[in-house]
C-alpha cells in the first residue's frame, strides 16, 4: 500500500483508529512485564514501528519512555504530533516519516529498550516484511523487548468470510510459526494469550538474546 492511500483512509476514519492505546500493551506495563527503568537515571527508549496517529507512542511517553514513532504517512504523523502536544509529552515524543523496510532510517538510531509493532508487520508481504524484520533486529540490543500484535492464521484454512474481512481491514496475515522464522534466531519468543477479538489476532512478547 502507498502512503497516499493511508492518508485517504485516515481522513475517512481508518478501521483501526477506534482501538486507541493497545490494551495488551497497557496490560503488560501494568503487570510489570515490560521493563520501564532498565538503568537508574535514564529514561528507557522505545520505538513505535508504524505508529500511525501516535496513540501507543504518547501512552509510552506518559509511562516514562522517550519514544520515537515511525510511519510513512505524513498526515498520520501530523496528528501524532498534535496528540503529543495535547498530552504535554512532546518533549519525550519524536515522530519520523520513513519506510520501515529501509536498511537505514535517518533519525532513528538504536538500540531501543522496547520496540512496538501493533499491526504493521502483518500488513506487509515478501521482501518488505523481511526488511522490516531486519529493522527490528537492527534497532534492538541484547535484553530489548519487542511487542508484536498481528493477524496470524493459515490462509488456506480461513473461511471465506474471514478472508473478506481481512481484505476490508487491508491486512494480510502472518502464517503460523512465521514469527519464529523471522525472529527466532535473535529473540526468545513468548506467545501471549490471544486477544478475544478480533478473530485471528495474536500477540507476542520477545526478548533479544
Amino acid at each position: 500500500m502507498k502512503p497516499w492511500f493511508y492518508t485517504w483512509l485516515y481522513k475517512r476514519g481508518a478501521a483501526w483508529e477506534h482501538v486507541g492505546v493497545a490494551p495488551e500493551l497497557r496490560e503488560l506495563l501494568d503487570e510489570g512485564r515490560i521493563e520501564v527503568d532498565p538503568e537508574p537515571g535514564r529514561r528507557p527508549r522505545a520505538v513505535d514501528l508504524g505508529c500511525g496517529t501516535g496513540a501507543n507512542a504518547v501512552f509510552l511517553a506518559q509511562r516514562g519512555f522517550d519514544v520515537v514513532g515511525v510511519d510513512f504517512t505524513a498526515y498520520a504523523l501530523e496528528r501524532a504530533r498534535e496528540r503529543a502536544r495535547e498530552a504535554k509529552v512532546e518533549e519525550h515524543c519524536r515522530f519520523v516519516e520513513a519506510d520501515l523496510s529501509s536498511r537505514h532510517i535517518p533519525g532513528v538510531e538504536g538500540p531501543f529498550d522496547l520496540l512496538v509493532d501493533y499491526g504493521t508487520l502483518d500488513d506487509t508481504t515478501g521482501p518488505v516484511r523481511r526488511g522490516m524484520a531486519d529493522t527490528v533486529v537492527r534497532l534492538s540490543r541484547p535484553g530489548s523487548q519487542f511487542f508484536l500484535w498481528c493477524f496470524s492464521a493459515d490462509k488456506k484454512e480461513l473461511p471465506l468470510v474471514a478472508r473478506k474481512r481481512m481484505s476490508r481491514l487491508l491486512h494480510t496475515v502472518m502464517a503460523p510459526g512465521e514469527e519464529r522464522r523471522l525472529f527466532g534466531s535473535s529473540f526468545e519468543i513468548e506467545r501471549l494469550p490471544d486477544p478475544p477479538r478480533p478473530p485471528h489476532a495474536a500477540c507476542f512478547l520477545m526478548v533479544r538474546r
Side-chain angles (χ1 to χ4, degrees), residues 157-177:
E157 296 180 0
L158 284 174
L160 181 59
V161 64
R163 279 178 286 180
K164 287 182 177 179
R165 185 176 186 279
M166 293 292 179
S167 178
R168 289 197 302 272
L169 289 171
L170 301 175
H171 270 284
T172 55
V173 296
M174 288 179 58

Side-chain angles (χ1 to χ4, degrees), residues 25 46-50 56 60 114-118 145-147:
L25 182 62
V47 60
D48 186 358
L49 305 166
N56 289 326
L60 288 170
L114 173 65
L115 301 94
V116 172
D117 172 7
Y118 197 78
Q145 294 177 286
F146 174 38
F147 169 74

Side-chain angles (χ1 to χ4, degrees), residues 90-143:
E90 65 268 37
E91 178 184 354
H92 300 292
C93 277
R94 185 164 56 86
F95 295 99
V96 176
E97 183 179 350
D99 177 356
L100 288 167
S101 66
S102 299
R103 290 181 179 272
H104 174 66
I105 304 175
V108 183
E109 303 297 335
F112 291 91
D113 304 298
L114 173 65
L115 301 94
V116 172
D117 172 7
Y118 197 78
T120 300
L121 184 67
D122 62 347
D123 201 20
T124 64
T125 57
V128 176
R129 182 174 291 184
R130 178 71 262 180
M132 184 174 168
D134 291 344
T135 294
V136 170
V137 175
R138 188 174 64 252
L139 294 179
S140 61
R141 56 156 177 79

